[in-house]
């Protein structure tokens, strides 16, 4: 790999999170297990709050829509019958969420509940967002050279800001000029990168996108966005074709900006 020169026309660097700025293991071994381990306690603690009730109603609606799916768990409506029935409703929510997560569902109902739980965990210090050691120094250098830096992740903008606002490197939100999630479009569709370019006021070829996922890299290249695939510990392996087709880096420090060459 070594040094990768950044094309002279690049004005903005667009970053994926999982497997790029942040170890995949953080998501798989910290964020998701936190939900499974703490959901019941969270529901008991926050049950009387309107935000929690909104989450419950959304999960109940999703459960109805999923009722024909194999293994789906219905969530009964709560009446005024007391503590025992409340416990049954909460257990049904726990079972439903466990099922959705086991199926890698990305429903709004699930993502919203997870986001609220992670917010509580970050703000109380139970979780800190992990970033690779090369990330912050490299981004500071890019910004000093006049680069804009943006995030594009399948995780919600709120979840992104929680991770970087409560990270192992402190609050580093100031390093980013903006955040995008799948509301702008799926990461595997080229049109999403055209929308991002329009949103930040540049051409697609003024952007360098860093990701660990070749399918995302392919979609970005199709939109005439510059791409480098990031190789990090724990990331999925690349095919020989991927390795020969894409520019590869294993650290942000390997990028050489035009002003620093």
């Amino acid at each position: 790999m070594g040094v990768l020169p950044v094309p002279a026309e690049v004005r903005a660097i667009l970053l994926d999170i999982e497997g790029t700025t942040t170890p995949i293991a953080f998501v798989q071994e910290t964020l998701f297990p936190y939900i499974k381990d703490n959901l019941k306690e969270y529901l008991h603690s926050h049950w009387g709050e309107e935000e929690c009730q909104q989450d419950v109603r959304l999960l109940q609606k999703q459960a109805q829509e999923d009722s024909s799916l194999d293994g789906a768990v219905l969530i009964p409506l709560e009446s005024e019958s007391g503590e025992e029935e409340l416990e049954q409703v909460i257990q049904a929510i726990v079972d439903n969420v466990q099922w959705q997560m086991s199926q890698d569902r990305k429903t709004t109902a699930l993502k919203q509940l997870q986001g609220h739980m992670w917010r509580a965990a970050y703000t109380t210090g139970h979780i800190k967002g992990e970033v690779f050691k090369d990330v912050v120094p490299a981004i500071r250098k890019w910004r000093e050279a006049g680069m804009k830096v943006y995030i594009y992740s399948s995780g919600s903008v709120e979840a992104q800001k929680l991770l970087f606002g409560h990270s192992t490197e402190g609050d580093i939100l100031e390093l980013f000029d903006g955040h995008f999630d799948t509301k702008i479009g799926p990461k595997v569709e080229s049109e999403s990168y055209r929308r991002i370019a329009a949103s930040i006021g540049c051409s697609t070829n003024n952007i360098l996108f860093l990701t660990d996922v070749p399918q995302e890299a392919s979609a970005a290249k199709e939109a005439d966005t510059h791409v480098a695939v990031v190789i990090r510990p724990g990331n999925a392996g690349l095919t020989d074709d991927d390795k020969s087709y894409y520019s590869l880096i294993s650290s942000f420090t390997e990028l050489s900006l035009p002003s620093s060459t």
Side-chain angles (χ1 to χ4, degrees), residues 21-38:
T21 66
T22 297
I24 284 178
F26 172 71
V27 177
Q28 300 299 331
E29 298 174 12
T30 299
L31 287 185
F32 288 154
Y34 181 86
I35 301 296
K36 294 176 181 178
D37 294 343
N38 294 276

Side-chain angles (χ1 to χ4, degrees), residues 77-250:
L77 298 173
E78 184 194 9
S79 65
E80 302 300 323
S81 300
E83 195 67 32
E84 185 176 339
E85 188 193 31
L86 172 61
E87 202 59 45
Q88 290 175 350
V89 174
I90 286 178
Q91 187 59 52
I93 294 169
V94 171
D95 293 342
N96 176 278
V97 167
Q98 298 267 23
W99 172 75
Q100 287 203 61
M101 291 178 69
S102 74
Q103 301 298 305
D104 197 26
R105 302 292 301 282
K106 301 189 189 302
T107 64
T108 298
L110 177 62
K111 287 174 72 173
Q112 180 170 297
L113 173 69
Q114 289 174 329
H116 291 153
M117 286 188 66
W118 287 329
R119 183 183 64 201
Y122 279 118
T123 54
T124 56
H126 285 97
I127 290 177
K128 286 188 182 294
E130 190 174 345
V131 293
F132 289 108
K133 290 295 183 183
D134 58 279
V135 170
V136 171
I139 294 177
R140 291 196 194 283
K141 187 176 179 182
W142 300 341
R143 290 179 63 87
E144 287 168 8
M147 286 287 178
K148 299 286 190 180
V149 182
Y150 298 87
I151 295 292
Y152 181 28
S153 172
S154 56
S156 69
V157 167
E158 182 186 20
Q160 297 172 27
K161 290 182 176 180
L162 285 169
L163 192 158
F164 293 118
H166 303 271
S167 85
T168 49
E169 303 297 315
D171 182 349
I172 56 173
L173 283 172
E174 65 177 14
L175 297 180
F176 306 108
D177 295 282
H179 298 258
F180 298 96
D181 58 21
T182 50
K183 287 180 181 175
I184 199 99
K187 296 175 75 181
V188 293
E189 292 185 5
S190 58
E191 186 59 30
S192 303
Y193 300 89
R194 298 186 185 99
R195 292 191 191 112
I196 288 173
S199 174
I200 63 180
C202 68
S203 300
T204 50
N205 73 343
N206 297 138
I207 298 173
L208 170 63
F209 178 47
L210 305 183
T211 178
D212 64 310
V213 181
Q215 294 92 327
E216 296 173 5
S218 175
K221 277 181 74 76
E222 191 177 315
D224 199 28
T225 300
H226 295 284
V227 171
V229 173
V230 184
I231 298 173
R232 298 284 199 183
N235 287 5
L238 301 175
T239 66
D240 288 339
D241 284 346
D242 290 336
K243 291 175 183 176
S244 61
Y245 184 65
Y246 296 109
S247 298
L248 307 176
I249 61 171
S250 60

Side-chain angles (χ1 to χ4, degrees), residues 39-93:
L39 178 54
K40 184 175 282 191
E41 180 185 345
Y42 176 86
L43 290 170
H44 277 295
S45 300
H46 297 271
W47 192 259
E49 300 169 12
E50 178 55 28
E51 182 178 82
C52 182
Q53 287 303 306
Q54 289 176 356
D55 291 345
V56 170
R57 288 192 290 271
L58 209 55
L59 285 164
Q60 286 170 327
K61 183 172 180 287
Q62 185 65 50
Q64 288 288 344
E65 294 174 8
D66 292 341
S67 59
S68 63
L69 299 179
D70 186 40
V73 181
L74 283 173
I75 303 171
L77 298 173
E78 184 194 9
S79 65
E80 302 300 323
S81 300
E83 195 67 32
E84 185 176 339
E85 188 193 31
L86 172 61
E87 202 59 45
Q88 290 175 350
V89 174
I90 286 178
Q91 187 59 52
I93 294 169

